Amino acid sequence: MVERQVRSAVVTGASTGIGEATVRRLAQEGWKVWAVARRGERLEQLAGDTGAIPVALDITDDGGVARMVEQVAAAGGIDTLINIAGGARGTDWVADARTDDWEWMYNVNVLGTMKLTRAFLPMLREHGEGTVLNLTSTAALVSYEGGAGYNAAKAAQRAMTRALRLEEVENNLRVIEVLPGMVYTEEFSLNRLGSEEAAEKVYAGVEKPLTAEDIADIVAYAVSVPHHVNLDEIVVRPVAQAAAHKVVRKG
C-alpha cells in the first residue's frame, strides 16, 4: 500500500473568523496545520480542539516571521501558505482619512502578506508543488464611499497576488486568490466600526450572508484539488448581494 502524504499548511489570521474556520476545516481533513495569529490564548484553545500547532505572531514582525520559518522547517516544512490575516479600520472618506487606520490596513493586508510569502517562498519552491492562497476581498474590485483605505489595501494585495502568479509559475508554484463579498463573522465589522450596534447594521435584513465556514470550505477545496489545477481567482458573494451596490434586505 502506498502511504498517503500528509498535506501541510501555515494559516494566518487563525484566532477568529475565516482563518479559524480554515484551520478547523483543514485539520478535519487530515492536514498538518500551523495556526498563526497574535492572540496566543485563542490559538491554544484552537490547538486543543484541532491538533493544530499554535504560533503566536505579529505577521508584520520580520524577526518573528524568520523564527517561525525556522520552526516550520525543523518540523518538516509546508507545501501550502494561506494568507488570511487582514482587516479594515474605519469608514472615513478620503477628506477625513485617519493616517493610523490607513497605515494599519496597509501593514496587515499588504506588508504582512508580502513578508509571510517572501519568507516561505524558498521552502515552497523546494517542495516542487507549492501553493500560496491569498484572501483578498471584492473591495479590491469595486470602490465605495468610506471604503478608500480598505479598497486601496485590498487592491494592492490583489495586485501583488497577480504578480506573484506570473513570477513563480516557472517554479510550479500555484497562486490562488479568493475574493469574498459580504461575510458575517464575529469580529470583522466590529473591529472596523467599533460597536456591536454599528456592526449589526451592516448585515441587517440580509438573508443568509456568507459565513466563515462557507469561505473555509472554498479555501480548503481550492488548495486540495490536484496541483495542476489552479483556481486563479474565486469571487464569492451571498445570493442576496448581486453586486457591491446591490444588496437585497428584507424586513
Side-chain angles (χ1 to χ4, degrees):
M1 177 180 293
V2 177
E3 184 177 353
R4 180 177 178 272
Q5 184 177 4
V6 175
R7 299 290 304 280
S8 53
V10 162
V11 179
T12 70
S15 62
T16 189
I18 296 170
E20 178 185 351
T22 298
V23 170
R24 292 184 182 278
R25 175 59 188 273
L26 292 178
Q28 184 180 19
E29 294 188 358
W31 286 58
K32 182 177 182 180
V33 184
W34 279 266
V36 180
R38 288 178 293 107
R39 291 176 290 182
E41 70 284 354
R42 283 183 170 245
L43 294 179
E44 292 297 337
Q45 181 177 346
L46 179 61
D49 292 344
T50 65
I53 303 165
V55 182
L57 173 70
D58 178 348
I59 62 169
T60 66
D61 174 43
D62 293 318
V65 169
R67 288 189 292 274
M68 180 181 63
V69 172
E70 292 178 359
Q71 175 187 349
V72 171
I78 58 168
D79 57 71
T80 301
L81 172 64
I82 302 176
N83 290 304
I84 291 179
R89 281 191 180 175
T91 58
D92 298 327
W93 289 30
V94 174
D96 302 310
R98 300 179 185 181
T99 300
D100 287 349
D101 286 346
W102 281 57
E103 288 180 342
W104 182 87
M105 286 186 282
Y106 194 84
N107 283 334
V108 173
N109 292 285
V110 184
L111 295 183
T113 297
M114 179 276 287
K115 289 181 178 186
L116 263 290
T117 304
R118 179 180 63 186
F120 278 104
L121 272 178
M123 185 183 298
L124 296 172
R125 289 168 177 166
E126 184 178 357
H127 182 276
E129 290 191 346
T131 297
V132 175
L133 185 146
N134 290 340
L135 189 86
T136 63
S137 169
T138 55
L141 303 175
V142 180
S143 297
Y144 52 90
E145 297 99 323
Y150 188 56
N151 294 144
K154 284 300 184 183
Q157 187 186 23
R158 170 170 166 76
M160 175 175 56
T161 303
R162 299 179 79 184
L164 180 69
R165 186 179 298 116
L166 298 173
E167 292 169 355
E168 294 298 326
V169 65
E170 301 294 341
N171 296 312
N172 201 33
L173 188 76
R174 177 170 62 177
V175 179
I176 303 165
E177 180 183 7
V178 177
L179 303 91
M182 184 175 283
V183 183
Y184 185 89
T185 61
E186 175 185 6
E187 295 185 349
F188 178 85
S189 289
L190 176 61
N191 289 340
R192 184 176 197 178
L193 302 174
S195 74
E196 292 279 1
E197 181 180 3
E200 289 299 322
K201 286 182 179 179
V202 174
Y203 310 99
V206 179
E207 272 196 342
K208 297 182 179 178
L210 298 175
T211 66
E213 289 73 22
D214 291 330
I215 306 304
D217 286 347
I218 292 165
V219 169
Y221 176 78
V223 299
S224 298
V225 295
H227 187 269
H228 70 281
V229 178
N230 193 32
L231 299 172
D232 287 22
E233 301 173 358
I234 307 170
V235 177
V236 53
R237 300 183 178 96
V239 170
Q241 185 185 27
H245 65 282
K246 178 70 172 181
V247 180
V248 175
R249 299 179 189 270
K250 298 185 176 181

